[in-house]
Amino acid sequence: PARNRENSKALVLGGSLFFPQLAGHTFIPIGAFYYKHRYDDLRMRGVFSIFVNEFDLSKSHDELQFLAGFDNNTIPFPSKEIEDGQEVTGTSIRWGSVNGRVGVGWRHPVAPFKVDNDLRVQLLYQLGYLYSARTSDTAPWVVLPPDTLVYGPMLRARYDGMRRNLMELPHQGFATGMDALYLTRGHWSDANYGGSPMSKSATQSYLRLSGYVTVATAVPCLDEKNRLLFSVHGGFAPYGTLDRFSTFRIGGGPIPSEADDMERQVFPGAMFSQFPVSDYVITSVEYRREIFSFSYLHLRGTYANVNREEFVVTNAGNFTREHGQAVTTGFTSGFFLKSELTLEYTYDSSILRSGERGSNITLLWSKSF
């Protein structure tokens, strides 16, 4: 049986260990507060982690929705990009963004008619602010664009017909969605982030398209305690139009299972936002076995093909094609005091450390309130 997720709050704590080190890091902590609530026709959802936050609000009139949202990525510490599994010191900068958006949408409930199950189409307009600054480690040849307003339309479509189990893991059905956005920087210039120069004319405005499909189904000839999950995530932008601040960002973290998080692209074993890419395809196949009504084992294979941004000068230009595989085994279980534990081990073949194989252990504890 599924539990009602319409009104929920949870604290998520944990961390990831890397063997050998990944970009100079052996351990990275994880922490966030999750909030979701419905007051009659008003719905709210937020994920908060001090410097990186997102919040969405919708007001319904029958199937018509009025929408508002906010997100920020304002980490005050220097940020360095990763090349061949190592941080590139010369790419060190401080940068961030703050975005607000408003719009209208249409929401139609679909089977099996749980809180997550609907068909949504949303049109929004976003206005944000992007800033960047040099640090003492920034390479002399790095040229940053000016701080600027960023604005433009966004189109979203979501379908979620998934039935989820007690641990909120997809059990039966499928979910799919797409995103399209066209954004313009109001004040822009040529730039160089450590690799080849990027021109103002090519990168001031950009179009990004992305989508996903996730399917959960039975295993032939086995009972309902055995499940198969398939997922495909992909994204595309016209060649040469994305830069360090506008690329898709692929990283590690928990595999998405919540309806409002399904579009998040994950490569297990990676650091958060490790790969800035101009296009990508990530596919995964997972087998999951119910041990008890509240405990599950899973085995997952993941393949990624990405066009990753370069931060050293090469003859290949600003982006290079890479691919890699990862195998993950894990355990999800209910825990004391209405909490949940997830433990995963990932073995990756090549993409994270420039051809060197490595491992990752991630432990997450989620406490519901």
Side-chain angles (χ1 to χ4, degrees), residues 270-339:
M271 295 173 60
F272 286 100
S273 301
Q274 179 172 345
F275 295 104
V277 302
S278 64
D279 60 77
Y280 65 92
V281 175
I282 302 175
T283 62
S284 68
V285 179
E286 176 180 318
Y287 166 72
R288 186 172 69 231
R289 167 70 184 181
E290 177 185 321
I291 306 303
F292 302 105
S293 61
F294 56 87
S295 298
Y296 302 84
L297 291 173
H298 64 258
L299 178 65
R300 182 188 311 114
T302 305
Y303 172 79
N305 188 313
V306 304
N307 201 19
R308 184 179 59 80
E309 185 172 0
E310 292 272 16
F311 292 96
V312 296
V313 178
T314 67
N315 294 327
N318 290 315
F319 291 84
T320 183
R321 180 67 60 182
E322 293 185 352
H323 62 89
Q325 306 82 33
V327 177
T328 303
T329 183
F331 175 72
T332 301
S333 178
F335 201 59
F336 298 108
L337 303 175
K338 294 184 179 180
S339 67

Coordinates of all heavy atoms in Angstrom, one line a residue, residues 270-339:
A270 N 28.7 10.0 -9.3 CA 29.3 11.3 -9.7 C 29.1 12.3 -8.5 O 28.3 12.1 -7.6 CB 28.6 11.9 -10.9
M271 N 29.8 13.4 -8.5 CA 29.6 14.5 -7.6 C 28.4 15.3 -8.1 O 28.0 15.2 -9.3 CB 30.8 15.4 -7.5 CG 32.0 14.7 -6.9 SD 33.5 15.8 -7.0 CE 33.0 17.2 -6.1
F272 N 27.8 16.1 -7.2 CA 26.7 16.9 -7.7 C 27.1 17.9 -8.7 O 28.1 18.6 -8.6 CB 26.0 17.6 -6.5 CG 25.3 16.7 -5.6 CD1 25.8 16.3 -4.4 CD2 24.0 16.4 -5.9 CE1 25.1 15.4 -3.6 CE2 23.2 15.5 -5.1 CZ 23.8 15.0 -3.9
S273 N 26.3 18.0 -9.8 CA 26.6 18.9 -10.9 C 28.0 18.8 -11.5 O 28.6 19.7 -11.9 CB 26.4 20.4 -10.4 OG 25.1 20.6 -10.0
Q274 N 28.5 17.5 -11.5 CA 29.8 17.3 -12.0 C 30.0 17.6 -13.5 O 31.1 18.2 -13.9 CB 30.3 15.9 -11.7 CG 31.7 15.6 -12.2 CD 32.2 14.2 -11.7 OE1 31.6 13.6 -10.9 NE2 33.3 13.8 -12.3
F275 N 29.1 17.3 -14.3 CA 29.2 17.4 -15.8 C 28.4 18.5 -16.3 O 27.2 18.5 -16.4 CB 28.8 16.1 -16.5 CG 29.6 14.9 -16.1 CD1 29.1 14.0 -15.3 CD2 30.9 14.7 -16.7 CE1 29.9 12.9 -14.9 CE2 31.6 13.6 -16.4 CZ 31.1 12.7 -15.5
P276 N 29.1 19.6 -16.8 CA 28.4 20.6 -17.7 C 28.4 20.1 -19.1 O 29.4 19.9 -19.7 CB 29.2 21.9 -17.5 CG 30.6 21.4 -17.2 CD 30.4 20.0 -16.5
V277 N 27.2 19.8 -19.7 CA 27.1 19.2 -21.0 C 26.1 20.0 -21.9 O 25.2 20.6 -21.4 CB 26.6 17.7 -20.9 CG1 27.6 16.9 -20.0 CG2 25.2 17.6 -20.3
S278 N 26.3 19.9 -23.2 CA 25.5 20.5 -24.1 C 24.4 19.6 -24.6 O 23.3 20.0 -25.1 CB 26.3 21.1 -25.3 OG 26.9 20.0 -26.0
D279 N 24.6 18.3 -24.6 CA 23.6 17.3 -24.9 C 23.9 16.0 -24.2 O 25.1 15.7 -23.8 CB 23.4 17.1 -26.4 CG 24.6 16.6 -27.1 OD1 25.0 15.4 -27.0 OD2 25.3 17.4 -27.7
Y280 N 23.0 15.1 -23.9 CA 23.2 13.9 -23.2 C 22.1 12.9 -23.4 O 20.9 13.3 -23.7 CB 23.3 14.2 -21.7 CG 22.0 14.7 -21.1 CD1 21.1 13.9 -20.5 CD2 21.7 16.1 -21.1 CE1 19.9 14.3 -20.0 CE2 20.5 16.6 -20.6 CZ 19.6 15.7 -20.0 OH 18.4 16.1 -19.5
V281 N 22.4 11.6 -23.2 CA 21.4 10.6 -23.1 C 21.9 9.7 -21.9 O 23.1 9.2 -21.9 CB 21.3 9.7 -24.4 CG1 20.4 8.5 -24.1 CG2 20.8 10.6 -25.5
I282 N 21.0 9.5 -21.0 CA 21.3 8.6 -19.8 C 20.2 7.5 -19.7 O 19.0 7.9 -19.6 CB 21.4 9.4 -18.5 CG1 22.5 10.5 -18.6 CG2 21.7 8.4 -17.3 CD1 22.5 11.4 -17.4
T283 N 20.6 6.3 -19.8 CA 19.6 5.2 -19.7 C 20.0 4.3 -18.5 O 21.2 4.1 -18.2 CB 19.6 4.3 -21.0 OG1 20.9 3.7 -21.1 CG2 19.3 5.2 -22.2
S284 N 19.0 3.7 -17.9 CA 19.2 2.8 -16.8 C 18.2 1.7 -16.8 O 17.0 1.9 -17.2 CB 19.2 3.5 -15.4 OG 17.9 4.0 -15.1
V285 N 18.6 0.5 -16.3 CA 17.7 -0.6 -16.1 C 17.9 -1.1 -14.7 O 19.1 -1.3 -14.2 CB 18.0 -1.8 -17.1 CG1 17.1 -3.0 -16.8 CG2 17.9 -1.3 -18.5
E286 N 16.8 -1.3 -13.9 CA 17.0 -1.7 -12.5 C 16.0 -2.9 -12.2 O 14.9 -3.0 -12.7 CB 16.6 -0.5 -11.6 CG 16.6 -0.8 -10.1 CD 16.2 0.3 -9.3 OE1 16.7 1.5 -9.5 OE2 15.4 0.2 -8.3
Y287 N 16.6 -3.8 -11.4 CA 15.8 -4.9 -10.9 C 15.7 -4.7 -9.4 O 16.7 -4.4 -8.7 CB 16.4 -6.3 -11.1 CG 15.8 -7.4 -10.2 CD1 14.6 -7.9 -10.5 CD2 16.5 -7.9 -9.2 CE1 14.0 -8.9 -9.7 CE2 16.0 -8.9 -8.4 CZ 14.7 -9.4 -8.7 OH 14.2 -10.3 -7.9
R288 N 14.4 -4.7 -8.8 CA 14.2 -4.5 -7.4 C 13.4 -5.7 -6.8 O 12.5 -6.1 -7.4 CB 13.4 -3.2 -7.2 CG 13.3 -2.8 -5.7 CD 12.7 -1.4 -5.5 NE 11.3 -1.4 -5.9 CZ 10.8 -0.5 -6.7 NH1 11.6 0.4 -7.2 NH2 9.5 -0.5 -6.9
R289 N 13.8 -6.1 -5.6 CA 13.2 -7.2 -4.9 C 12.7 -6.7 -3.5 O 13.5 -6.2 -2.8 CB 14.2 -8.3 -4.8 CG 13.8 -9.4 -3.8 CD 12.6 -10.3 -4.3 NE 12.2 -11.2 -3.3 CZ 11.2 -12.1 -3.5 NH1 10.5 -12.1 -4.6 NH2 10.9 -13.0 -2.5
E290 N 11.5 -7.0 -3.2 CA 10.9 -6.7 -1.9 C 11.3 -7.8 -0.9 O 11.0 -9.0 -1.2 CB 9.4 -6.6 -1.9 CG 8.8 -6.3 -0.6 CD 7.3 -6.3 -0.6 OE1 6.7 -5.8 -1.6 OE2 6.7 -6.9 0.3
I291 N 12.1 -7.4 0.1 CA 12.5 -8.4 1.1 C 11.4 -8.5 2.2 O 11.0 -9.6 2.6 CB 13.9 -8.0 1.7 CG1 14.9 -7.8 0.6 CG2 14.3 -9.1 2.7 CD1 15.1 -9.0 -0.3
F292 N 11.0 -7.4 2.7 CA 9.9 -7.2 3.6 C 9.0 -6.2 3.1 O 9.3 -5.5 2.1 CB 10.4 -6.9 5.1 CG 11.3 -7.9 5.7 CD1 12.7 -7.6 5.8 CD2 10.9 -9.1 6.1 CE1 13.6 -8.5 6.3 CE2 11.8 -10.0 6.7 CZ 13.1 -9.7 6.8
S293 N 7.9 -5.9 3.7 CA 7.0 -4.9 3.2 C 7.6 -3.5 3.2 O 7.1 -2.6 2.5 CB 5.7 -4.9 4.0 OG 5.9 -4.6 5.3
F294 N 8.7 -3.3 4.0 CA 9.3 -2.0 4.1 C 10.7 -2.0 3.7 O 11.5 -1.0 3.9 CB 9.2 -1.5 5.6 CG 9.7 -2.4 6.6 CD1 11.1 -2.4 6.9 CD2 8.9 -3.4 7.2 CE1 11.6 -3.3 7.8 CE2 9.5 -4.3 8.1 CZ 10.8 -4.2 8.4
S295 N 11.2 -3.1 3.1 CA 12.7 -3.2 2.8 C 12.8 -3.8 1.3 O 12.2 -4.7 1.0 CB 13.4 -4.1 3.8 OG 13.3 -3.6 5.1
Y296 N 13.8 -3.1 0.6 CA 13.9 -3.5 -0.8 C 15.4 -3.5 -1.2 O 16.2 -2.6 -0.8 CB 13.2 -2.5 -1.7 CG 11.7 -2.3 -1.4 CD1 11.3 -1.5 -0.4 CD2 10.8 -3.1 -2.2 CE1 9.9 -1.4 -0.1 CE2 9.4 -3.0 -1.9 CZ 9.0 -2.1 -0.9 OH 7.7 -2.0 -0.6
L297 N 15.8 -4.5 -2.0 CA 17.1 -4.5 -2.6 C 17.0 -4.2 -4.1 O 16.0 -4.5 -4.7 CB 17.7 -5.9 -2.4 CG 18.1 -6.4 -1.0 CD1 18.5 -7.8 -1.0 CD2 19.2 -5.5 -0.5
H298 N 18.0 -3.5 -4.6 CA 18.0 -3.2 -6.0 C 19.4 -3.4 -6.7 O 20.4 -3.2 -6.0 CB 17.4 -1.8 -6.3 CG 18.2 -0.7 -5.8 ND1 17.9 0.0 -4.6 CD2 19.4 -0.1 -6.3 CE1 18.8 0.9 -4.4 NE2 19.7 0.9 -5.4
L299 N 19.3 -3.7 -8.0 CA 20.6 -3.7 -8.8 C 20.3 -2.9 -10.1 O 19.3 -3.2 -10.7 CB 20.9 -5.2 -9.1 CG 22.1 -5.4 -10.0 CD1 23.4 -5.0 -9.3 CD2 22.2 -6.9 -10.5
R300 N 21.2 -2.0 -10.4 CA 20.9 -1.0 -11.5 C 22.1 -0.9 -12.4 O 23.3 -0.8 -11.9 CB 20.5 0.3 -10.9 CG 20.2 1.4 -12.0 CD 20.0 2.8 -11.4 NE 19.1 2.8 -10.2 CZ 19.6 3.0 -9.0 NH1 20.8 3.4 -8.8 NH2 18.7 3.0 -8.0
G301 N 21.9 -0.9 -13.7 CA 23.0 -0.6 -14.6 C 22.6 0.7 -15.3 O 21.5 0.9 -15.7
T302 N 23.6 1.6 -15.5 CA 23.4 2.9 -16.1 C 24.5 3.2 -17.2 O 25.6 2.8 -17.0 CB 23.6 4.0 -15.0 OG1 22.7 3.8 -13.9 CG2 23.3 5.4 -15.6
Y303 N 24.0 3.7 -18.3 CA 24.9 4.1 -19.4 C 24.6 5.6 -19.7 O 23.5 6.0 -19.8 CB 24.6 3.3 -20.6 CG 25.3 3.7 -21.8 CD1 26.7 3.4 -22.0 CD2 24.7 4.5 -22.8 CE1 27.4 3.9 -23.1 CE2 25.4 4.9 -23.9 CZ 26.7 4.6 -24.1 OH 27.4 5.1 -25.2
A304 N 25.7 6.3 -19.9 CA 25.6 7.8 -20.2 C 26.5 8.1 -21.4 O 27.6 7.6 -21.6 CB 26.1 8.6 -19.0
N305 N 25.9 8.9 -22.3 CA 26.6 9.4 -23.5 C 26.4 10.9 -23.4 O 25.3 11.4 -23.6 CB 26.1 8.8 -24.8 CG 26.9 9.2 -26.0 OD1 27.3 10.4 -26.2 ND2 27.2 8.2 -26.8
V306 N 27.5 11.7 -23.2 CA 27.4 13.1 -23.0 C 28.4 13.9 -23.9 O 29.4 13.4 -24.3 CB 27.6 13.5 -21.5 CG1 26.7 12.7 -20.6 CG2 29.1 13.2 -21.1
N307 N 28.0 15.1 -24.2 CA 28.9 16.1 -24.9 C 29.4 17.1 -23.8 O 28.7 18.1 -23.6 CB 28.2 16.7 -26.0 CG 29.2 17.3 -27.1 OD1 30.3 16.9 -27.1 ND2 28.7 18.2 -27.9
R308 N 30.5 16.8 -23.2 CA 30.9 17.6 -22.0 C 31.8 18.8 -22.4 O 32.6 18.7 -23.3 CB 31.7 16.6 -21.1 CG 32.2 17.3 -19.8 CD 32.9 16.3 -18.9 NE 34.1 15.8 -19.6 CZ 35.3 16.4 -19.7 NH1 35.4 17.6 -19.1 NH2 36.3 15.9 -20.3
E309 N 31.6 19.8 -21.6 CA 32.3 21.1 -21.8 C 33.8 20.9 -21.4 O 34.1 20.3 -20.3 CB 31.7 22.2 -21.1 CG 32.4 23.6 -21.4 CD 31.7 24.8 -20.8 OE1 30.7 24.6 -20.1 OE2 32.2 25.9 -21.0
E310 N 34.7 21.4 -22.2 CA 36.2 21.3 -22.0 C 36.6 22.6 -21.3 O 36.1 23.7 -21.6 CB 36.9 21.2 -23.3 CG 36.8 19.8 -23.9 CD 37.7 18.8 -23.4 OE1 38.4 19.1 -22.4 OE2 37.9 17.8 -24.1
F311 N 37.5 22.5 -20.3 CA 38.1 23.7 -19.7 C 39.6 23.8 -19.8 O 40.2 24.5 -19.1 CB 37.7 23.7 -18.2 CG 36.2 23.9 -18.0 CD1 35.4 22.8 -17.8 CD2 35.6 25.1 -18.0 CE1 34.0 22.9 -17.6 CE2 34.2 25.3 -17.8 CZ 33.4 24.2 -17.7
V312 N 40.1 23.1 -20.8 CA 41.5 23.2 -21.2 C 41.4 23.4 -22.8 O 40.5 22.9 -23.4 CB 42.4 22.1 -20.8 CG1 42.5 22.0 -19.3 CG2 41.9 20.8 -21.4
V313 N 42.4 24.1 -23.3 CA 42.4 24.3 -24.8 C 42.7 23.1 -25.5 O 43.8 22.4 -25.2 CB 43.4 25.4 -25.1 CG1 43.4 25.7 -26.6 CG2 43.1 26.7 -24.4
T314 N 41.8 22.6 -26.4 CA 42.1 21.5 -27.2 C 41.7 21.8 -28.7 O 41.0 22.8 -29.0 CB 41.2 20.3 -26.8 OG1 39.8 20.6 -27.0 CG2 41.4 20.0 -25.3
N315 N 42.1 20.9 -29.6 CA 41.7 21.0 -31.0 C 40.2 20.6 -31.2 O 39.7 20.9 -32.3 CB 42.6 20.2 -31.9 CG 44.0 20.7 -31.8 OD1 44.3 21.9 -31.7 ND2 45.0 19.8 -31.9
A316 N 39.6 20.0 -30.2 CA 38.2 19.5 -30.4 C 37.2 20.6 -30.2 O 36.0 20.4 -30.4 CB 38.0 18.4 -29.4
G317 N 37.6 21.8 -29.7 CA 36.7 22.9 -29.4 C 36.3 22.9 -28.0 O 37.0 22.5 -27.1
N318 N 35.1 23.4 -27.7 CA 34.6 23.7 -26.4 C 34.0 22.4 -25.7 O 33.8 22.4 -24.5 CB 33.6 24.8 -26.3 CG 34.3 26.2 -26.6 OD1 35.4 26.4 -26.0 ND2 33.7 27.0 -27.4
F319 N 33.6 21.4 -26.5 CA 32.9 20.3 -26.0 C 33.6 19.0 -26.5 O 34.1 19.0 -27.7 CB 31.4 20.3 -26.3 CG 30.7 21.4 -25.5 CD1 30.7 22.7 -26.0 CD2 30.0 21.1 -24.4 CE1 30.0 23.7 -25.3 CE2 29.4 22.1 -23.7 CZ 29.3 23.3 -24.1
T320 N 33.5 17.9 -25.7 CA 34.0 16.6 -26.2 C 33.1 15.5 -25.8 O 32.4 15.6 -24.8 CB 35.4 16.3 -25.5 OG1 35.9 15.1 -26.1 CG2 35.3 16.2 -24.0
R321 N 32.9 14.5 -26.7 CA 32.0 13.4 -26.5 C 32.6 12.4 -25.6 O 33.7 11.9 -25.8 CB 31.7 12.8 -27.9 CG 30.7 11.6 -27.8 CD 29.3 12.1 -27.4 NE 28.7 13.1 -28.3 CZ 27.5 13.6 -28.1 NH1 26.8 13.3 -27.0 NH2 27.1 14.5 -28.9
E322 N 31.9 12.0 -24.6 CA 32.3 10.9 -23.6 C 31.2 10.0 -23.3 O 30.0 10.4 -23.4 CB 32.8 11.6 -22.3 CG 34.1 12.4 -22.5 CD 34.6 12.9 -21.1 OE1 33.9 12.7 -20.1 OE2 35.7 13.4 -21.1
H323 N 31.5 8.8 -22.9 CA 30.5 7.8 -22.5 C 31.0 6.9 -21.4 O 32.2 6.8 -21.3 CB 30.0 7.0 -23.7 CG 31.0 6.1 -24.3 ND1 31.3 4.8 -23.9 CD2 31.9 6.4 -25.3 CE1 32.3 4.3 -24.6 NE2 32.7 5.2 -25.5
G324 N 30.1 6.4 -20.6 CA 30.6 5.5 -19.5 C 29.4 4.7 -18.9 O 28.3 5.0 -19.3
Q325 N 29.8 3.8 -18.1 CA 28.8 2.9 -17.5 C 29.0 2.8 -16.0 O 30.1 3.1 -15.5 CB 28.9 1.4 -18.1 CG 28.9 1.3 -19.6 CD 30.2 1.6 -20.3 OE1 31.3 1.4 -19.7 NE2 30.1 2.2 -21.4
A326 N 28.0 2.5 -15.3 CA 28.0 2.3 -13.8 C 27.1 1.2 -13.4 O 26.0 1.0 -14.0 CB 27.7 3.6 -13.1
V327 N 27.5 0.4 -12.4 CA 26.7 -0.6 -11.8 C 26.4 -0.3 -10.4 O 27.4 0.0 -9.6 CB 27.3 -2.0 -12.0 CG1 26.4 -3.1 -11.3 CG2 27.5 -2.4 -13.4
T328 N 25.2 -0.3 -9.9 CA 24.8 0.1 -8.6 C 24.0 -1.0 -7.9 O 23.1 -1.6 -8.5 CB 24.0 1.4 -8.6 OG1 24.7 2.4 -9.3 CG2 23.6 1.9 -7.2
T329 N 24.3 -1.3 -6.7 CA 23.5 -2.1 -5.9 C 23.2 -1.4 -4.6 O 24.0 -0.6 -4.1 CB 24.2 -3.5 -5.5 OG1 23.3 -4.3 -4.8 CG2 25.5 -3.2 -4.7
G330 N 22.0 -1.6 -4.1 CA 21.5 -0.8 -2.9 C 20.4 -1.4 -2.1 O 19.8 -2.4 -2.5
F331 N 20.1 -0.7 -1.0 CA 19.1 -1.2 -0.1 C 18.3 0.0 0.4 O 18.9 1.0 0.8 CB 19.9 -1.8 1.1 CG 19.0 -2.3 2.2 CD1 18.2 -3.4 2.1 CD2 19.0 -1.6 3.4 CE1 17.4 -3.8 3.2 CE2 18.3 -2.0 4.5 CZ 17.4 -3.1 4.4
T332 N 17.0 -0.1 0.4 CA 16.1 1.0 0.9 C 15.2 0.3 1.9 O 14.6 -0.7 1.7 CB 15.2 1.6 -0.2 OG1 16.1 2.1 -1.2 CG2 14.3 2.7 0.3
S333 N 15.1 1.0 3.1 CA 14.3 0.4 4.2 C 13.7 1.4 5.1 O 14.3 2.5 5.3 CB 15.2 -0.6 5.0 OG 14.5 -1.1 6.1
G334 N 12.5 1.1 5.6 CA 12.0 1.9 6.7 C 12.9 1.8 7.9 O 13.7 0.8 8.1
F335 N 12.9 2.8 8.8 CA 13.9 2.9 9.9 C 13.1 3.4 11.1 O 11.9 3.7 11.0 CB 15.1 3.7 9.6 CG 16.3 3.5 10.4 CD1 16.9 2.2 10.5 CD2 16.9 4.5 11.1 CE1 18.0 2.0 11.2 CE2 18.0 4.3 11.9 CZ 18.6 3.0 11.9
F336 N 13.8 3.5 12.2 CA 13.1 4.0 13.4 C 12.6 5.4 13.3 O 13.1 6.2 12.5 CB 14.1 3.9 14.6 CG 14.6 2.6 14.9 CD1 15.9 2.2 14.6 CD2 13.8 1.6 15.5 CE1 16.4 0.9 14.9 CE2 14.2 0.3 15.8 CZ 15.6 0.0 15.5
L337 N 11.5 5.7 14.1 CA 10.9 7.0 14.2 C 10.4 7.6 12.9 O 10.7 8.7 12.5 CB 12.0 8.0 14.8 CG 12.5 7.6 16.2 CD1 13.6 8.5 16.6 CD2 11.4 7.5 17.2
K338 N 9.7 6.8 12.1 CA 9.2 7.2 10.8 C 10.2 7.7 9.9 O 10.0 8.8 9.2 CB 8.1 8.2 11.1 CG 6.8 7.7 11.8 CD 5.8 8.8 11.9 CE 4.5 8.3 12.6 NZ 3.5 9.4 12.6
S339 N 11.3 7.1 9.8 CA 12.4 7.5 9.0 C 12.7 6.4 7.9 O 12.1 5.3 8.0 CB 13.7 7.8 9.8 OG 14.2 6.7 10.4

